[in-house]
Amino acid sequence: MAAPCAGMAGRPLGQFLSCFRRTVALKTGLRQFSGSSMCRAASQAATVTERATSPWSLMAAVCLQRLPVISAESSPLEQRFRHMMQQMELEKSLLSDHELRLLEDAERMSRKQSDDYDSDEEDDGRDQDIVLAQDLEDSWEQKLKNFQPAPRVRADVDKDLSSVQRCLADSLVLLAEQQVGAGKLWLLPQAPWQEGETLRQTAERALTSLPAGFNATFLSNAPCGVYKYKLPKAARTDSSEGTKVFFFKAVLSDIAPTTAINAPFMWLKKSELQHYLKPAYMMKVERFILDL
């Protein structure tokens, strides 16, 4: 009788301990879930509040580059190295098909001039016109004389700062005349950020707002630089202290000449930017502009 009584007494105690463990685990999980949810909600609320009360306005600008169209002029060292490599390739190279054909034609002509020449031994068709390799070279030489390459330097176009076809051997950056306060400054094309759009979309809108249409390829969704400036003390308020400008890089896809007349933009080399940009602005911009 003792064993059944012990089993009956032990079973309620085991059930009680099992229920106690489940209750403690459930309360702990609810406490952790409630704590994490409250922290996440508080963080989101703080972010929204900070965004709404931030004294900095946001803008996005695009650094549009036109890559070099033609190769740059070789330096004296590069020219000497190129001549050396050409001489080495000439000395170590094998005869091309055209050079082999020249030798065959010379050998055939020498056989024809000999006294024991027999035309029946030739493999070529007797009724067909034979075009010698030397004749081909003469025609190629004539075409080369008639060919006029395009000039590498065009003084009239290179002086036109609004032309996208200036300085074809250099990389150019687009500057636009922007309204800042009561005056106008030469800056990278920029536009204020609007609620509901990403910063890249703002940069794309800044580019499409120009009077001339440019086909560009943006390189990233992330900005490549940022420039922050404060408003004058007379214009500062508690809700407006300054502006943060985020830069996005893009490459020009089409270099067709623009049809805009007296357009408020310029295509400049990196060395020319310092003549139009403010020093503080130039210091931020030159970090991500590659002079290719």
Side-chain angles (χ1 to χ4, degrees):
M1 295 297 294
C5 292
M8 293 175 61
R11 189 178 305 149
L13 180 60
Q15 293 178 355
F16 173 75
L17 292 177
S18 177
C19 293
F20 178 75
R21 293 192 191 98
R22 287 197 298 267
T23 304
V24 172
L26 180 61
K27 289 183 177 180
T28 303
L30 290 175
R31 188 181 299 111
Q32 292 177 355
F33 175 76
S34 301
S36 61
S37 301
M38 292 177 62
C39 291
R40 190 180 302 109
S43 177
Q44 294 177 354
T47 303
V48 173
T49 304
E50 181 181 359
R51 183 185 303 171
T53 59
S54 175
W56 297 93
S57 59
L58 301 181
M59 300 188 73
V62 53
C63 176
L64 181 61
Q65 280 190 275
R66 192 222 65 190
L67 299 180
V69 180
I70 60 177
S71 60
E73 292 287 350
S74 301
S75 64
L77 178 61
E78 292 173 340
Q79 294 178 4
R80 293 197 303 269
F81 180 77
R82 183 175 68 249
H83 294 159
M84 182 189 68
M85 294 301 298
Q86 290 176 351
Q87 185 64 26
M88 291 176 60
E89 291 179 358
L90 179 61
E91 295 174 356
K92 298 181 179 180
S93 63
L94 301 177
L95 294 178
S96 63
D97 293 341
H98 179 71
E99 292 171 330
L100 293 175
R101 184 176 175 182
L102 281 174
L103 296 178
E104 292 176 359
D105 291 344
E107 184 180 356
R108 186 183 300 111
M109 293 300 297
S110 63
R111 288 201 306 266
K112 287 182 178 181
Q113 295 174 0
S114 62
D115 297 335
D116 56 347
Y117 172 72
D118 186 3
S119 60
D120 295 337
E121 297 179 357
E122 297 291 340
D123 296 334
D124 298 334
R126 293 188 296 269
D127 298 333
Q128 297 179 357
D129 294 335
I130 299 177
V131 179
L132 300 179
Q134 187 62 42
D135 298 335
L136 292 176
E137 285 192 359
D138 294 340
S139 63
W140 295 340
E141 288 289 340
Q142 187 62 33
K143 290 182 180 180
L144 180 60
K145 291 179 180 179
N146 297 332
F147 175 73
Q148 295 294 334
R152 293 180 57 90
V153 179
R154 298 173 295 178
D156 54 340
V157 179
D158 292 347
K159 292 180 181 179
D160 185 9
L161 299 181
S162 63
S163 175
V164 71
Q165 295 186 343
R166 66 182 297 262
C167 302
L168 296 178
D170 300 303
S171 178
L172 302 181
V173 180
L174 177 66
L175 290 188
E177 195 175 23
Q178 302 284 310
Q179 184 73 33
V180 179
K184 292 185 177 181
L185 296 176
W186 287 104
L187 303 170
L188 299 179
Q190 63 183 21
W193 174 77
Q194 295 179 357
E195 189 71 28
E197 67 179 5
T198 63
L199 287 174
R200 170 172 169 170
Q201 292 173 343
T202 306
E204 293 175 348
R205 180 166 51 84
L207 187 60
T208 55
S209 63
L210 296 178
F214 295 110
N215 296 325
T217 301
F218 280 76
L219 302 183
S220 175
N221 292 327
C224 59
V226 61
Y227 172 68
K228 180 174 68 174
Y229 65 91
K230 291 185 178 181
L231 298 174
K233 292 184 178 180
R236 294 182 196 173
T237 60
D238 295 339
S239 60
S240 179
E241 183 176 353
T243 302
K244 294 180 180 180
V245 184
F246 294 89
F247 302 103
F248 290 80
K249 296 196 69 174
V251 176
L252 188 66
S253 304
D254 186 12
I255 63 169
T258 57
T259 57
I261 301 177
N262 296 327
F265 56 81
M266 296 186 299
W267 290 97
L268 302 176
K269 296 185 290 185
K270 185 178 181 180
S271 59
E272 299 172 339
L273 293 176
Q274 58 184 349
H275 302 299
Y276 299 92
L277 300 180
K278 297 293 183 180
Y281 191 88
M282 178 65 187
M283 183 178 64
K284 297 293 184 179
V285 168
E286 66 179 356
R287 295 179 179 177
F288 53 82
I289 294 180
L290 298 179
D291 192 8
L292 300 176

